[in-house]
Amino acid sequence: LNGLQATGPYALAGDVQGAQFALISQAGNFTGFQAGAVSIADGPFTGIQCGFVNMAGEKGGSLQLGLFNMTDGKGMQFGFINYSKDAWIPVFPILNFNF
């Protein structure tokens, strides 16, 4: 997908370069902006995720804004609970990062 995907309950795409909006947004490799109550990038993620729950795969760099943020890659997280696999402190509230 190159461009914009906006649906009601569920948006699913393989590789995305652009933006994805839905109650639940899910994609493989992702570059761009992803928003929903639940935002999931199964593969490498580079961009911004906004939602109550944000999950991003390996590599890339991301900014996650939500209640619960999880990444296996690098980036910055703002939320109630933040998990970054390789961060100095993997689980940390409010702000967590791994560069």
Side-chain angles (χ1 to χ4, degrees), residues 26-98:
Q26 184 173 7
N29 299 336
F30 198 98
T31 301
F33 181 78
Q34 188 179 43
V38 177
S39 298
I40 303 165
D42 295 320
F45 182 84
T46 302
I48 300 171
Q49 280 184 316
C50 292
F52 293 111
V53 176
N54 300 307
M55 299 185 312
E58 297 180 19
K59 300 182 184 171
S62 63
L63 172 63
Q64 294 179 313
L65 309 166
L67 291 176
F68 175 74
N69 301 305
M70 183 180 95
T71 184
D72 289 337
K74 298 186 182 306
M76 183 168 279
Q77 302 168 311
F78 294 97
F80 185 67
I81 298 173
N82 303 296
Y83 171 78
S84 182
K85 180 179 149 186
D86 295 325
W88 183 62
I89 300 173
V91 178
F92 206 75
I94 311 301
L95 171 68
N96 202 5
F97 58 89
N98 178 26

